[in-house]
Structures are given as structure tokens and as C-alpha cells.
């Protein structure tokens, strides 16, 4: 069935609307970062760069690292942008932009988020890495899709039983990351694994108080004490649950790995967050070259 022009918007040069990319400009393994400046820091390690495209906060470079073709794209902050990026990258892989029809043979992409995050567990120090085994979404994005089949219902029930969610807030959900990619990126002792919480904001939604008081001052404490099948909520950020959910819904594989630059439990912040991120980039690229 042909997709309407209002639903799938193609630019005059044949690129898709927001990310401004054409199908041949993306690799099968795609690194997502939040900050457009981090794209340069990732691509600086590439052996060669074949594509550079920027529109709004979406900056993309595609090239090769140790013979592996990779794309790195900035998403900006938040699950709303993830909704745009994952859907448009999937369209580049699996929709014929000329006929506006879904392709008969679908392609599965690898999505790898390389980000920064804050730990909520005392034993996960700053400058360490956390691989997300599951994304815990407080954002509500997946509920706009027929996503029951991709949500981990057992863990979702467990977290909702544990938390005191106030009326009017989105029901939390959990989605598993790709086990193959989790195994690939968690082969070193300095790498922790756990559940990554994805919030709709940086301050109140993550329990930070400056001047505006939060409605649930015990929210972080509730997350810290969650333990189901020896899995704990390790860190908080703003993208992972949406990446996991949409990727799984569309038949792709996804993982997230974060440099821990703050420890909320201990109240400390990395003395050199730039170095922590650069170490994470090098580590991740070397693992992805093995795919």
C-alpha cells in the first residue's frame, strides 16, 4: 500500500524529511548520540568519512572504522526526537522512497546509543560504563503504538507494583535490549549492567530540585530499592526506553552504553567527563568493529 505524502515526507533531493538522509547514506550499524558535537568526536576515529549531513539537531556522518561501515547520528535530547530518528532511519532501510511502499524484504539494523548518564546506585562509580539490559520508560511514547508484544510484561508489572505512580503520570514500561549487543559491549570488568530509566526531563522528572518542588520527593529512593531477579535500576537518562521500544517494534536490534559522569547517591560528578566519554567512544567502536 502506498504511503501518503503527508505521512512520509520526502525532500526535493530525495532525502527523508527531518534527518535529511537518503538510503545509501546510512550503514546497517548506527550509533546514536545526543549532542551533535559528539558526532565529530566519534567520527574522528573513522578511517574515512563518506557522508556528512546536518539538519536541525540531526547531524550524521557515515564512514568506516577498522573496515566496519558505521553511521553516527545525533538525536538531540529526549524521546520525542528518538521517535523521529528511529522511524526515519527505519524508513530509509525498509520503505522504497520512490514508490512509497514497504519493501518485501525487510532489513534489521543495529542501533547503539553511546551516551552519558547519572548512576543512582552507590556502587557504580563515576567514569565507569553501564550497558542497559532493559529500558524503563516513564515517557509514555510506546503507548502511542501497538507495542504490547515488545514490552516486557513481567518486569513492567514488577516495577509498577514497586513504585507509587501518581495519577496523571504515564504508566512505566520495560523493554529488553538486544542480548547479542549487550554481550558484545559488556565484556570488560569496568562495565556494569542493569536497567536504565528514561525520563521525560532532566530536573523534576529525575528528582532534581532547584526552585520548583517535585510532586514525588521519594521517587529516586523508590527506584534505588527496586530489585527483581537480581536486576536493579542503575542509571537515569532520556532516550534509551524509546530506542529499545521502537527498535524492537520495527524488527531492529538495540543497545545503550553510557559513561557514568555523575553518581546521584554519592553526590559526586566526574572530574573529567570529556575523558570518560572519549574512553567510552573508543571502547564501543572497538567492540562494534567485531560485528
Amino acid at each position: 500500500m502506498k504511503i501518503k505524502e503527508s505521512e512520509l515526507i520526502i525532500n526535493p533531493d530525495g532525502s527523508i524529511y527531518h534527518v535529511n538522509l537518503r538510503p545509501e547514506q546510512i550503514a546497517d550499524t548506527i550509533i546514536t548520540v545526543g549532542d551533535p558535537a559528539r558526532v565529530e568526536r566519534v567520527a574522528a576515529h573513522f578511517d574515512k568519512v563518506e557522508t556528512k549531513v546536518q539538519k536541525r539537531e540531526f547531524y550524521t556522518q557515515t564512514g568506516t572504522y577498522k573496515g566496519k561501515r558505521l553511521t553516527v547520528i545525533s538525536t538531540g535530547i529526549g524521546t520525542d526526537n528518538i521517535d523521529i530518528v528511529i522511524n526515519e532511519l527505519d524508513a530509509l532501510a525498509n520503505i522504497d522512497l520512490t514508490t512509497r511502499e514497504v519493501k518485501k524484504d525487510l532489513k534489521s539494523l543495529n542501533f547503539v546509543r553511546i551516551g552519558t548518564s547519572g548512576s543512582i546506585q552507590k556502587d557504580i562509580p563515576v567514569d565507569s560504563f553501564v550497558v542497559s539490559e532493559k529500558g524503563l520508560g516513564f515517557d509514555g511514547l510506546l503507548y502511542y503504538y501497538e507495542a504490547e508484544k515488545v514490552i516486557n510484561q513481567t518486569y513492567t508489572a514488577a516495577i509498577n507494583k514497586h513504585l507509587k505512580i501518581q495519577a496523571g503520570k504515564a504508566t512505566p514500561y520495560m523493554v529488553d535490549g538486544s542480548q547479542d549487543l549487550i554481550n558484545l559491549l559488556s565484556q570488560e570488568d569496568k562495565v556494569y549492567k542493569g536497567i536504565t530509566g528514561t525520563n521525560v526531563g532532566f530536573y523534576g522528572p529525575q528528582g532534581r530540585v532547584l526552585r520548583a518542588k517535585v510532586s514525588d520527593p521519594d521517587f529516586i529512593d523508590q527506584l534505588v530499592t527496586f530489585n527483581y531477579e537480581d536486576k536493579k535500576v542503575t542509571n537515569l537518562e532520556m532516550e534509551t526506553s524509546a530506542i529499545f521500544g521502537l527498535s524492537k517494534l520495527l524488527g531492529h536490534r538495540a543497545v545503550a552504553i553510557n559513561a557514568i559522569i555523575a553518581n546521584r547517591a554519592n553526590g559526586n560528578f566526574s572530574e573529567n567527563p570529556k575523558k570518560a566519554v572519549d574512553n567510552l567512544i573508543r571502547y564501543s567502536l572497538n567492540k562494534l568493529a567485531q560485528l
Side-chain angles (χ1 to χ4, degrees), residues 23 26-28 90 92-94 103 105-109 250-252:
I26 65 168
D28 291 348
D90 172 76
L92 291 174
N94 291 315
K103 295 176 181 178
D105 297 319
L106 299 180
K107 179 183 290 187
S108 180
L109 303 172
L250 294 166
H252 306 300

Side-chain angles (χ1 to χ4, degrees), residues 33-34 44 53 95 119-120 132 136 139 165 172 217-218 227 241 258 261 272 276-277 281 290:
V33 297
V53 175
I95 297 175
S119 167
I120 63 172
S132 308
L136 166 58
D139 52 283
I165 299 298
D218 299 324
N227 189 327
S241 66
N258 282 274
I261 60 172
N272 194 339
V277 173
I281 289 170
Q290 300 173 24

